[in-house]
Amino acid sequence: MLMKILFGVAVVLLAFIAFVATRPSTFKVERSTTMSAPPSVVFALVADFHKVGTWSPFLKPDPTRNDTYAGTPATVGHSIAWVSSDNANEGKMMIVSLNPPEQLQLELEFIKPFKATNGTVFRFERAGNGTTVTWVMSGQNGFLNKAVSVFMDMDKMVGSSFEEGLATLKNLAEAEAKTAAQAAPNDALVGDPAK
């Protein structure tokens, strides 16, 4: 009887491993939103990692985490490295290429609790008087990630955080754009001394 149970468990385990092996070897999560702010304003909020914590759910201020910044904001090599006080969570994000204010490419390296390196791209496309921001993360699915994807929908899980971050980014960018517009001289009066 015990041998039959062990054989049955082995068959199920082998079937699960075979099924996991058929899962996609890459993943991609993508979300977009349009905001009433020029690309330059939105780009500045994303390309400065000192500001990213004001809108990204992944880098919200956390007293149990130590953040280290390096490089000049909005330039290749600008980075943030983080580690939790108990050393259970560690990683680094760095700008690897940029085309201001249209695109920003990042390398996202997770060290703990699991190792992974993912590419992240932000695109800023003018949409009338505003900007459509697209946030994309892609990477390789190792066996562990494939196994996890059997039980959890990564697109849905990470995508909901992207949506939350983009909504907060929209609010901040639109507030900054409004403040800048109010501080600027009235265009209708510029160059018309009669008014």
Side-chain angles (χ1 to χ4, degrees), residues 6-20:
L6 290 175
F7 179 76
V9 169
V11 168
V12 169
L13 186 59
L14 287 172
F16 178 73
I17 290 171
F19 175 70
V20 168

Side-chain angles (χ1 to χ4, degrees), residues 72-134:
T72 304
T75 64
V76 171
H78 178 48
S79 67
I80 177 173
W82 64 88
V83 60
S84 60
S85 58
D86 61 3
N87 291 318
N89 189 334
E90 185 177 353
K92 181 179 181 180
M93 181 168 67
M94 181 171 65
I95 297 176
V96 292
S97 74
L98 68 168
N99 180 23
E102 297 171 2
Q103 184 167 298
L104 182 68
Q105 186 171 344
L106 313 173
E107 182 181 85
L108 184 56
E109 180 185 8
F110 297 102
I111 300 166
K112 293 178 183 177
F114 55 87
K115 290 190 178 235
T117 302
N118 298 329
T120 302
V121 176
F122 285 89
R123 292 192 300 271
F124 310 89
E125 300 172 272
R126 187 168 287 283
N129 292 326
T131 305
T132 297
V133 182
T134 302

Side-chain angles (χ1 to χ4, degrees), residues 32 45 52 63 77 106 158 160 169:
S32 296
L45 288 167
V52 170
L106 313 173
V158 177
S160 63
L169 179 62

Side-chain angles (χ1 to χ4, degrees), residues 15-34:
F16 178 73
I17 290 171
F19 175 70
V20 168
T22 67
R23 305 291 289 173
S25 59
T26 61
F27 73 88
K28 179 179 177 183
V29 179
E30 180 174 336
R31 296 292 188 275
S32 296
T33 193
T34 300

